[in-house]
Amino acid sequence: MTAEGSVRAESPVGTESPVGIDELLERVREGLDRVEADAAHEAARAGEALLVDIRYAALRERDGLIPGALVVERNELEWRLDPQGSHRAPEATSHGLHVVIVCNEGYASSLAATSLRQLGLHRATDLVGGFQAWRAAGLPVVAALPAAGPPVASRGSGHTSRQTSRQTS
C-alpha cells in the first residue's frame, strides 16, 4: 500500500504501477478454490469446513444467520482465526483448517480469505456470491436478534429457530 492508500504491484521492469480493486480481486481469486453454496453447506454439515460469517451486525440482523457459522467481525478475523494467536477462537485449531469465509455478496470474503492464507491457513477460501447466494439456494438461515454488546466471535448452535447475534467469547 502506498501513503495514498492505493495498492501497487511490481511490473516486469521493477517499477510500481497502481492496481485497482477489480484487478486485485481477480488476482486474489486466482489463488482461491472458491466454493458454491451447496458445496459449502455439505462440507460444513460433514464437519469438513468451518463457515465464518464476516458480515456486519446490521446485515446479520436484517437477513439472518447461517446455523453453525462462526460469526467474526471482519476487523477481528485474523486475530480470531490465527491458530498461534493469543486471541484465537476455540475453532482455530490448526493451519490446515478448511475455512470458508462468508460476506454479503462474495467480494470482501475473497480478500479476507487471502489474508488468512497469508497467516498460513492454506485451505482458507470463500463462498461464491456470499450470504445472498446461500439464501438464494434455499439453504438454512435463522433469524438474528439485535446485537446487545460489542461483537466478539461466537458460533451459533443451529438448534433453535431464533438465534441471537449477541456474541460471547
Side-chain angles (χ1 to χ4, degrees), residues 49-54 69-102 109 112-113 115-125 153-155:
L50 173 64
L51 302 180
V52 180
D53 188 341
I54 63 168
L70 178 67
V71 175
V72 180
E73 295 282 339
R74 173 61 189 101
N75 63 331
E76 296 182 359
L77 183 67
E78 291 81 1
W79 284 268
R80 301 300 282 161
L81 290 182
D82 179 1
Q84 298 175 342
S86 59
H87 300 291
R88 74 180 183 276
E91 294 85 354
T93 55
S94 78
H95 286 97
L97 183 65
H98 184 204
V99 177
V100 178
I101 304 297
V102 180
S109 57
S115 180
L116 292 177
R117 283 178 169 244
Q118 291 172 333
L119 285 176
L121 290 143
H122 61 275
R123 296 180 66 206
T125 190
S154 72
R155 189 161 187 182

Side-chain angles (χ1 to χ4, degrees), residues 16 20 26 51 58 61 81 143 146 165:
E16 293 183 3
E26 185 178 317
L51 302 180
E61 290 170 17
L81 290 182
S165 62

Side-chain angles (χ1 to χ4, degrees), residues 19-30 107 111:
V19 174
I21 189 61
D22 292 332
E23 183 177 342
L24 178 61
L25 195 57
E26 185 178 317
R27 287 181 185 184
V28 301
R29 285 179 171 170
E30 288 174 1
Y107 296 99
L111 299 172

